[in-house]
Amino acid sequence: MFPLHRGRRLRVNESIRSLVRETTLSPSDFMFPMFVAEGENVKVEIPSMPGIFRRSIDLTVEEVKEIYALGIRAVNIYVKVSENLKDNTGKEAWNKDGLMQQAIRAIKAACPEMIVMPDVALDPYSVYGHDGIIANGDVENDSTVAALVKMAVSHAQAGADFVAPSDMMDGRVLRLREGLDAAGFHNVGIMSYSAKYASAFYGPFRDALDSAPVDTTDIPKDKKTYQMDYANRIEAIKEALSDVKEGADMVMVKPGIAYLDIVREVKNAVHVPVTVYHVSGEYAMIKAAAERGWLDNDKIMMEQLMCIKRAGASLISTYFAKEAAILLNK
């Protein structure tokens, strides 16, 4: 009780504050999402995500080596698929010589210790921009899962350390685990997007991959039949527990800063690492405000990352990974 106890004694200066700090950040807390494009020596900035680029494989490899030197130990890979390779089956997703498979092989050859977690979903390969196969006017669950298994096995064959299903189909974690094990990839892990909400924060990401759902009258115009309703909390816990039971080695909550209550709830419920995706819209808002002088980019960036870690994240997938690692290394 005051005056015997004064909380401010532990806040007098930075040395004392650092001694009693409950949460810390390091570059190894981050995973860097990377966008891969066809070609050579290609580096195209994404207009809605200043400082983030689509890179060809050669430049992706150089960036991977650079961020590894900063202490970042994981990358999440997405590919920009040519329009002529898109269809409703997603078959390009398991092409052993596809862009994703080439990228995985190149990264692992150049930087073997970097943990590579390729995205597993059909939306970059779909003419409809959906995460699965369209049948009878909706995304068909079980045929999509069968396609995702072939996709994940092809990633493992290319050298992926984890596969990262972001599709939100029912039962896909179990089928992926069975498929990977049957193919001999017992040590390839699964980082499941367990609580992925149908969020408006994904807009810049869809610009990066040209993967937004096609607006037609005969198929869903959005992803709300499989991604979660952002009004729901208990459902997120149920999904995470189900994925762990099916064999997920890590679970993810997405988006990040707007869903920290869910992060804490999931962290309390499961006994596997929890990854949080600090998504493109959250990144873009900070960048836009900082460009106008309304916010301090570095201070807001570090505050948000610290808050995500404090909420329970074991790993943060963030477009700020490189910037934050540079600051932390100083």
Side-chain angles (χ1 to χ4, degrees):
M1 292 177 61
F2 178 85
L4 299 179
H5 295 287
R6 293 177 181 263
R8 292 181 59 188
R9 292 188 190 119
L10 300 180
R11 305 175 201 142
V12 169
N13 55 49
E14 177 56 23
S15 293
I16 291 175
R17 291 192 296 270
S18 67
L19 288 176
V20 298
R21 189 161 289 141
E22 298 173 31
T23 307
T24 58
L25 280 173
S26 76
S28 62
D29 291 322
F30 305 138
M31 176 163 61
F32 193 28
M34 303 186 75
F35 301 111
V36 184
E38 296 279 4
E40 292 185 13
N41 199 35
V42 173
K43 182 180 178 181
V44 179
E45 187 172 38
I46 299 159
S48 54
M49 301 175 70
I52 301 299
F53 300 84
R54 287 192 294 265
R55 291 179 170 87
S56 52
I57 290 175
D58 54 331
L59 299 187
T60 297
V61 166
E62 293 306 310
E63 182 77 348
V64 166
K65 290 190 286 189
E66 191 174 329
I67 64 173
Y68 187 84
L70 292 171
I72 295 168
R73 295 293 179 259
V75 291
N76 198 194
I77 304 296
Y78 303 87
V79 292
K80 173 75 167 64
V81 179
S82 299
E83 290 298 318
N84 65 307
L85 296 175
K86 296 182 179 183
D87 62 13
N88 187 37
T89 70
K91 63 180 182 298
E92 178 63 18
W94 53 90
N95 177 1
K96 65 182 178 62
D97 296 315
L99 182 59
M100 177 69 86
Q101 290 76 4
Q102 292 181 53
I104 296 167
R105 287 194 292 268
I107 292 169
K108 294 302 290 185
C111 192
E113 298 303 313
M114 180 64 83
I115 302 302
V116 179
M117 301 190 188
D119 179 57
V120 175
L122 296 185
D123 49 330
Y125 304 89
S126 170
V127 289
Y128 298 112
H130 275 286
D131 289 41
I133 296 168
I134 298 294
N136 301 316
D138 199 4
V139 176
E140 209 287 315
N141 193 90
D142 293 6
S143 62
T144 295
V145 170
L148 296 176
V149 171
K150 290 187 281 189
M151 184 180 185
V153 170
S154 77
H155 292 174
Q157 290 168 339
D161 300 283
F162 282 75
V163 295
S166 63
D167 56 287
M168 288 299 286
M169 297 298 114
D170 292 334
R172 90 274 208 216
V173 173
L174 176 60
R175 295 292 177 249
L176 288 175
R177 185 70 271 157
E178 291 173 341
L180 289 167
D181 288 353
F185 296 108
H186 304 88
N187 289 329
V188 172
I190 298 173
M191 182 190 70
S192 175
Y193 289 56
S194 297
K196 181 179 180 180
Y197 285 86
S199 171
F201 281 107
Y202 306 150
F205 174 94
R206 291 173 183 166
D207 291 343
L209 294 184
D210 189 23
S211 61
V214 175
D215 189 6
T216 64
T217 57
D218 55 344
I219 63 170
K221 64 180 179 179
D222 54 38
K223 302 189 177 187
K224 292 181 180 179
T225 66
Y226 45 102
Q227 294 178 359
M228 285 179 47
D229 184 342
Y230 57 70
N232 292 354
R233 175 183 62 86
I234 295 171
E235 184 182 10
I237 302 168
K238 181 185 74 172
E239 290 281 0
L241 289 172
S242 176
D243 283 357
V244 172
K245 188 176 292 187
E246 291 182 16
D249 301 283
M250 302 184 194
V251 296
M252 178 185 276
V253 176
K254 180 182 180 182
I257 204 70
Y259 292 76
L260 295 186
D261 59 323
I262 306 301
V263 175
R264 174 44 58 186
E265 294 263 17
V266 170
K267 179 69 172 180
N268 289 343
V270 302
H271 299 287
V272 299
V274 176
T275 303
V276 176
Y277 203 144
H278 194 213
V279 299
S280 60
E282 295 169 319
Y283 174 89
M285 288 193 301
I286 294 174
K287 288 297 181 184
E291 284 179 357
R292 288 160 177 77
W294 297 342
L295 294 175
D296 184 304
N297 179 87
D298 291 355
K299 289 180 179 178
I300 293 292
M301 169 182 73
M302 298 307 292
E303 181 177 344
Q304 288 203 356
L305 293 172
M306 185 70 80
C307 291
I308 293 170
K309 179 81 180 292
R310 187 196 65 215
S314 302
L315 180 64
I316 305 170
S317 184
T318 176
Y319 300 98
F320 285 115
K322 185 177 181 181
E323 286 183 67
I326 292 169
L327 275 181
L328 289 168
N329 284 328
K330 290 180 179 178

